[in-house]
């Protein structure tokens, strides 16, 4: 009995030891993930290459396609002696005109500092609105024949709940100092003067957008009354309109135009732990969609 108890104690001690060893190993790995350099390019920077900076998703502060992320990647790409040119790989429906303007201006500034390095924009599925604003800063723009390009316009949308509040018997109490502090309040009727004023803001922003596109594209733009109407075109149509310079992928541009086939992505990727969490979320979403039968159709949006 005494011998059996000793063996059980020893087994428990060894079990605790190996558990602590396992937890220690996991904490070390977790620390590496948390403090890994999130801005390291995905390939060895040695040698001549074409730098890639992603503009993916909605362009907005705090998002992956924020001006801070894109500009930081652009600066690293321009400053690297091995980068021969920079590709802006765009797949975005647009977003903030302010964020897009920041990126546009920074591309122009960096091009002036590094005149030997050209910038090429390559549009994947979509490069619309604010994303095209950014693309217009490039020396040349390329897209696939089926890419969606353009949407040079400005939109501001919202909802009004005045009638709904009256039906449910809710009284709006809003005390202000300054006659326009309830401007565009969704719980108050839209005044004609407010609508007219906000339209001037949208028109001014639209004019700024058009001016930057004209500066970027110059004489390549064709005369077309619908060019700045907010319409979106396929890559083939955009080529005829002068919105892009050719049809091709990032690999095509790097190989045939730049002459440096190796692509190095300078886009911030987040820590490995964040990437793992994102992948788990995507996998979960795909599983749910599959179970609900939502991923079996071809979609054009």
């Amino acid at each position: 009995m005494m011998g059996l108890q000793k063996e059980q104690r020893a087994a428990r001690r060894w079990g605790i030891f190996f558990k602590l060893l396992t937890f220690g190993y996991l904490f070390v790995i977790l620390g590496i993930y948390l403090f890994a350099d999130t801005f390291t390019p995905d390939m060895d920077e040695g040698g001549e290459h074409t730098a890639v900076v992603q503009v993916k998703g909605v362009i907005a502060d705090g998002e992956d396609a924020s001006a801070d992320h894109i500009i930081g990647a652009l600066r690293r790409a321009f400053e690297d002696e091995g980068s021969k040119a920079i590709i802006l790989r765009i797949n975005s429906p647009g977003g903030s005109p302010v964020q897009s303007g920041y990126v546009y201006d920074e591309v122009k500034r960096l091009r002036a500092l590094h005149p030997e390095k050209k910038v090429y924009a390559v549009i994947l599925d979509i490069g619309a609105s604010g994303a095209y604003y950014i693309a217009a800063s490039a020396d040349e723009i390329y897209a696939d024949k089926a890419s969606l390009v353009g949407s040079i316009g400005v939109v501001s949308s919202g909802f009004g709940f005045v009638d709904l509040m009256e039906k449910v018997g809710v009284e709006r109490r809003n005390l202000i100092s300054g006659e326009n502090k309830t401007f565009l309040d969704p719980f108050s009727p839209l005044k004609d003067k407010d609508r007219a004023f906000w339209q001037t803001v949208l028109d001014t922003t639209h004019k700024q957008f058009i001016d930057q596109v004209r500066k970027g594209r110059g004489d390549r733009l064709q005369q077309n009354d619908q060019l700045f109407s907010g319409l979106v075109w396929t890559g083939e149509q955009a080529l005829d309109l002068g919105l892009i310079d050719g049809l091709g992928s990032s690999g095509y541009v790097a190989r045939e135009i730049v002459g440096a086939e190796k692509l190095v992505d300078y886009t911030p990727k987040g820590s490995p732990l964040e990437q793992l969490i994102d992948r788990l979320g995507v996998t979960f979403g795909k599983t749910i969609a599959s179970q609900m039968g939502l991923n079996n159709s071809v979609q054009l949006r």
Side-chain angles (χ1 to χ4, degrees):
M1 291 294 293
M2 294 294 291
L4 182 60
Q5 288 179 351
K6 289 181 180 179
E7 289 181 4
Q8 289 177 342
R9 291 194 194 100
R12 282 197 296 268
R13 284 196 293 267
W14 279 109
I16 294 172
F17 171 76
F18 283 114
K19 287 178 182 178
L20 291 174
L21 185 63
T22 302
F23 279 116
Y25 174 78
L26 291 175
F27 278 121
V28 169
I29 296 299
L30 182 61
I32 294 174
Y33 278 8
L34 289 175
F35 297 104
D37 184 0
T38 61
F39 301 107
T40 302
D42 62 358
M43 294 174 60
D44 181 12
E45 295 182 37
E48 194 172 73
H49 59 268
T50 300
V52 174
V53 175
Q54 306 274 359
V55 181
K56 186 176 181 180
V58 177
I59 302 168
D61 185 32
E63 298 293 333
D64 289 340
S66 69
D68 286 342
H69 284 177
I70 297 171
I71 289 173
L74 282 169
R75 289 173 180 171
R76 289 189 296 275
F78 268 99
E79 292 168 0
D80 192 298
E81 295 181 358
S83 64
K84 189 175 179 180
I86 291 85
I87 289 178
L88 284 165
R89 184 183 284 161
I90 297 173
N91 196 7
S92 168
S96 165
V98 175
Q99 298 287 310
S100 300
Y102 284 157
V103 177
Y104 183 105
D105 293 341
E106 185 65 11
V107 170
K108 293 300 186 183
R109 187 187 74 84
L110 291 170
R111 278 290 286 122
L113 292 175
H114 305 271
E116 76 284 0
K117 295 185 180 183
K118 285 190 174 183
V119 177
Y120 300 89
V122 176
I123 296 172
L124 279 66
D125 297 285
I126 184 170
S129 196
Y132 187 78
Y133 191 152
I134 291 175
S137 66
D139 295 280
E140 296 178 13
I141 304 175
Y142 291 83
D144 183 79
K145 58 183 178 296
S147 299
L148 297 179
V149 181
S151 188
I152 303 173
V154 181
V155 62
S156 174
S157 58
F159 296 93
F161 302 98
V162 179
D163 293 339
L164 177 62
M165 292 176 64
E166 291 179 355
K167 288 181 179 179
V168 298
V170 177
E171 178 186 1
R172 173 68 163 161
R173 295 177 180 175
N174 197 13
L175 306 179
I176 64 171
S177 178
E179 60 176 321
N180 293 313
K181 287 301 292 183
T182 55
F183 173 66
L184 298 183
D185 176 22
F187 301 103
S188 302
L190 180 61
K191 301 175 183 177
D192 290 339
K193 68 170 186 174
D194 290 346
R195 185 194 301 272
F197 171 77
W198 193 238
Q199 188 61 51
T200 64
V201 173
L202 299 180
D203 291 341
T204 301
T205 305
H206 190 203
K207 183 179 181 302
Q208 294 169 352
F209 190 174
I210 294 172
D211 289 344
Q212 296 298 74
V213 171
R214 289 191 185 278
K215 288 178 183 178
R217 300 300 297 164
D219 296 336
R220 289 172 288 186
L221 290 175
Q222 301 300 311
Q223 294 297 323
N224 188 305
D225 293 338
Q226 298 297 311
L227 198 62
F228 304 122
S229 67
L231 288 177
V232 65
W233 289 274
T234 66
E236 284 186 332
Q237 294 171 315
L239 182 60
D240 293 335
L241 291 168
L243 291 170
I244 67 174
D245 299 283
L247 301 176
S249 64
S250 299
Y252 168 82
V253 172
R255 182 178 61 254
E256 304 296 336
I257 309 299
V258 178
E261 187 171 0
K262 184 171 72 170
L263 296 171
V264 176
D265 194 344
Y266 285 76
T267 312
K269 300 174 183 62
S271 70
L273 180 61
E274 292 171 331
Q275 295 181 54
L276 176 61
I277 292 172
D278 289 342
R279 288 180 182 178
L280 289 174
V282 170
T283 301
F284 178 76
K286 286 183 177 179
T287 302
I288 295 298
S290 177
Q291 292 298 319
M292 297 178 66
L294 300 177
N295 60 350
N296 296 321
S297 61
V298 177
Q299 301 180 35
L300 290 177
R301 300 198 176 195

